[in-house]
Amino acid sequence: MTDTPVAAPPAPTSAAPAAKPAAKAKVEAPPFREFPTITALRPDAMVGSTPYVASAAHNEALGFPGTLADGWEQKAVAKMGELLGKYRSLKVYLDSCVHCGACTDKCHYFIGTGDPKNMPVARQDLMRSVYRRYYTLPGKLFPKLVGARDMTRDVLDDWFRYYNQCSECRRCSVFCPYGIDTAEITMAAKEIMDSVGVGHKYVNEIMGKVHKIGNNLGLPGPALENTLEGLEEDVLEDTGAAVKYPLDVKGAEVLLVTPSADFFAEPHVDSLIGYGKVFHAAGISWTLSSKASEAGNFGMFIGSYEQMRKVALRVREAALELGVKRIVVGECGHAWRVAYSFWNTLTGVGAGAGVGDPFAIELQKQLDPNYKQPAHICEVTWDLIQAGRLKFDKAANDHRIVTFHDSCNVARGSRMGDYAGGQFDIPRHIIRAVANHYVDMSPDTTHERTFCCGGGGGLLSDELMDIRVKGALPRMEALKRTVDQNGVNFMAMICAICKAQFTKVLPYYGFKMSMIGGVHQLVSTAIVLGNEQ
Ligand code: SF4
Ligand code: SF4
């Protein structure tokens, strides 16, 4: 069964960024489709999906203009020119598309909505048309002939709607014969919009909290301390083992940087409990940091190198202050992508020492070269399993038939281990080491072809619930097949955004929100703790 086309699409409005979005719009999950499916076109189906616009205070706190000002059109075009000069890839992507159509049906938001502007190539064309007008000769001379458009308020409104319907998941780039990465175009569009005072409220507000308090949630140090003490009591009661969840311990071997949702949200906290048990069982001293109490880095979502670096530098400062030897990242997809792919040049954590940056050089001297820096918590756990340093009672997970959801930023934006594909194998190896029943979902929906949860890229805000639910359709369909065919009752993952998104959208598709959790939740269930100190 396929969606039916909408007979009379709603007319676009021309002032979406300034207008209030349809926050109370009815949220509906599309019906499950039979295989094979061709998504029916529903022009303008998602024209009403717009995030809240960031307030002047939120924008200015990040150094962006508060609101749209006179002359913003020229400023936006100039910013595009700056980015084209800075990022060669952006120019190549805008120049090289041949409109072959291979990417059109690969985006979960197009599949879930049928809105043609959610085809990756159409999303790119929102920027490509403006690029052609100002930065190509044919576009300057014969704009209509080459589909070039002026930068106008209507164009900006379309950017704000549809670039905020892209989770920057990179799935479309896997299928593009030229490797065009729509996510990079989306990031550039968001950077341009922020530079003229049009930002996404949820994202910019969160970054302000990280700069001010240290985490996305605005959770102050004392609250964090209380939470961790509570966890120690709970684990002692459950297991009889005095597992510690230390904060700001100078001289600890490992600094663990994890998404702040791990500190209190369900099911995230169960993974934090698991990390602590792993370190306890292996006898590794570790600490969290009240200064770097957030692994997430929303600077990446808005394409801002400066914001990304500012957030990342908190981690470096904390590592230097605490004198740790290793930096480990918890279960967070985009945080791991930033750490794996960008920390090296942002902060000097990793192989490079940062040319002429004394703090990066100092950190390189401090970190232990015998370990991968930074390391993912899954790499740490898998190394310990292979070394025989952890014991498990796999039967403790026998009530679960487990599948694994590859998170986009891990699958297509980073790696684990020392070989290509380690990011797919290592979490699965861990699950198989701690649970007896494991089934993969369809291969066209896993590994590098995995589907986004529907809430990535900074789209996790309530006013975007409709696009989030619709964008989750392909993952929900793959899950349903394993539920029906294999009796799967637990979907494991290693991303805080995926966990938060799925707990909200699963009920729309008839699943219980309790059927998802972290890989280290499974580890936590099965790990056998002795009398370690
Ligand atoms: S697959 Fe690549 S070249 Fe083909 S339409 Fe999509 S972006 Fe353009
Ligand atoms: S959401 Fe993912 S698949 Fe869709 S356009 Fe963006 S990067 Fe491509």
Side-chain angles (χ1 to χ4, degrees):
M1 190 173 73
T2 57
D3 297 338
T4 48
V6 170
T13 58
S14 62
K20 290 230 167 192
K24 300 224 163 126
K26 198 169 165 219
V27 175
E28 268 179 25
F32 287 125
R33 304 163 306 156
E34 301 296 327
F35 266 132
T37 55
I38 298 172
T39 305
L41 291 184
R42 303 176 70 220
D44 290 331
M46 297 310 289
V47 75
S49 177
T50 308
Y52 290 129
V53 183
S55 69
H58 292 141
N59 287 340
E60 284 162 3
L62 303 182
F64 301 137
T67 52
L68 265 185
D70 287 348
W72 69 267
E73 296 92 340
Q74 291 78 14
K75 285 183 189 148
V77 170
K79 184 72 182 177
M80 184 187 289
E82 180 197 319
L83 299 184
L84 288 166
K86 209 156 58 165
Y87 307 125
R88 190 103 192 266
S89 53
L90 181 62
K91 187 165 166 20
V92 171
Y93 294 155
L94 293 175
D95 278 333
S96 57
C97 174
V98 294
H99 288 78
C100 69
C103 63
T104 52
D105 58 350
K106 305 304 185 294
C107 175
H108 49 292
Y109 292 122
F110 173 66
I111 293 170
T113 68
D115 190 324
K117 283 188 180 162
N118 274 325
M119 291 177 177
V121 59
R123 202 184 310 285
Q124 296 166 22
D125 278 355
L126 294 173
M127 181 180 287
R128 187 172 286 120
S129 56
V130 179
Y131 160 73
R132 283 199 178 134
R133 179 73 181 99
Y134 298 96
Y135 293 101
T136 68
L137 192 60
K140 285 177 187 170
L141 298 177
F142 316 108
K144 287 204 173 127
L145 280 181
V146 294
R149 295 189 302 171
D150 289 341
M151 188 76 213
T152 63
R153 183 57 192 257
D154 283 351
V155 168
L156 179 71
D157 291 347
D158 246 8
W159 281 28
F160 195 65
R161 287 185 197 102
Y162 288 102
Y163 284 119
N164 282 302
Q165 294 181 38
C166 170
S167 56
E168 303 168 5
C169 76
R170 309 182 86 206
R171 186 172 195 269
C172 47
S173 69
V174 171
F175 298 88
C176 173
Y178 297 92
I180 294 172
D181 186 355
T182 315
E184 276 203 34
I185 295 173
T186 295
M187 289 173 190
K190 289 182 181 174
E191 192 171 1
I192 293 167
M193 287 191 280
D194 269 322
S195 78
V196 294
V198 179
H200 181 176
K201 174 179 181 284
Y202 168 73
V203 173
N204 289 5
E205 188 177 4
I206 274 181
M207 276 191 296
K209 282 185 194 159
V210 180
H211 294 327
K212 208 166 159 191
I213 301 171
N215 56 63
N216 288 357
L217 301 168
L219 198 65
L224 192 53
E225 209 174 328
N226 272 348
T227 305
L228 297 173
E229 280 170 13
L231 284 187
E232 289 178 359
E233 287 163 17
D234 291 348
V235 175
L236 182 62
E237 199 178 306
D238 284 352
T239 67
V243 177
K244 296 288 172 210
Y245 292 86
L247 185 65
D248 294 331
V249 176
K250 286 199 175 181
E253 182 180 344
V254 169
L255 168 63
L256 177 80
V257 188
T258 203
S260 52
D262 280 1
F263 298 126
F264 80 100
E266 292 284 353
H268 310 61
V269 70
D270 293 309
S271 282
L272 175 59
I273 291 171
Y275 317 149
K277 288 181 180 177
V278 166
F279 289 128
H280 176 88
I284 298 171
S285 69
W286 69 292
T287 188
L288 294 153
S289 157
S290 52
K291 176 173 273 179
S293 51
E294 178 63 66
N297 191 329
F298 279 28
M300 190 184 79
F301 295 152
I302 58 164
S304 168
Y305 177 87
E306 292 75 20
Q307 290 300 320
M308 197 158 63
R309 181 156 202 261
K310 205 170 160 194
V311 174
L313 282 178
R314 294 185 74 98
V315 177
R316 180 169 87 182
E317 277 172 42
L320 286 169
E321 280 171 19
L322 296 169
V324 295
K325 299 287 178 204
R326 302 164 64 183
I327 303 178
V328 174
V329 179
E331 293 182 356
C332 180
H334 84 280
W336 177 239
R337 181 178 176 193
V338 172
Y340 179 89
S341 303
F342 306 125
W343 268 6
N344 185 15
T345 48
L346 290 173
T347 68
V349 177
V355 181
D357 181 339
F359 297 102
I361 291 165
E362 192 186 334
L363 186 64
Q364 287 300 310
K365 284 188 195 148
Q366 179 185 305
L367 295 176
D368 187 339
N370 294 311
Y371 293 96
K372 185 168 167 274
Q373 309 281 2
H376 193 281
I377 186 69
C378 284
E379 294 176 303
V380 173
T381 300
W382 179 234
D383 284 349
L384 292 169
I385 292 172
Q386 286 179 295
R389 291 174 63 187
L390 302 177
K391 290 195 189 81
F392 298 105
D393 170 17
K394 290 170 78 167
N397 275 314
D398 272 356
H399 58 296
R400 290 170 170 147
I401 301 174
V402 182
T403 193
F404 179 69
H405 163 74
D406 295 278
S407 299
C408 311
N409 278 304
V410 177
R412 291 185 287 261
S414 65
R415 271 190 193 170
M416 285 182 206
D418 53 7
Y419 65 98
Q423 74 272 32
F424 307 125
D425 295 343
I426 289 175
R428 286 173 171 83
H429 289 331
I430 295 174
I431 295 170
R432 288 194 174 100
V434 304
N436 285 312
H437 310 296
Y438 178 78
V439 187
D440 249 327
M441 288 182 276
S442 318
D444 55 333
T445 73
T446 58
H447 297 72
E448 68 273 16
R449 293 180 170 215
T450 188
F451 275 107
C452 173
C453 63
L459 270 59
L460 205 62
S461 52
D462 288 347
E463 76 272 20
L464 296 179
M465 186 55 81
D466 194 30
I467 186 77
R468 286 170 53 190
V469 169
K470 288 180 165 64
L473 176 68
R475 170 49 74 228
M476 293 295 101
E477 287 176 330
L479 176 63
K480 184 162 172 21
R481 285 196 292 279
T482 53
V483 168
D484 293 347
Q485 291 168 13
N486 310 100
V488 161
N489 60 12
F490 191 89
M491 182 163 68
M493 57 203 68
I494 48 172
C495 176
I497 286 179
C498 295
K499 290 172 193 169
Q501 158 77 350
F502 284 133
T503 49
K504 282 278 172 68
V505 306
L506 280 166
Y508 285 96
Y509 289 94
F511 299 116
K512 286 187 184 155
M513 61 171 74
S514 58
M515 77 174 293
I516 62 115
V519 166
H520 279 79
Q521 181 175 339
L522 299 173
V523 171
S524 177
T525 302
I527 197 165
V528 177
L529 301 176
N531 297 321
E532 309 89 349
Q533 292 301 310

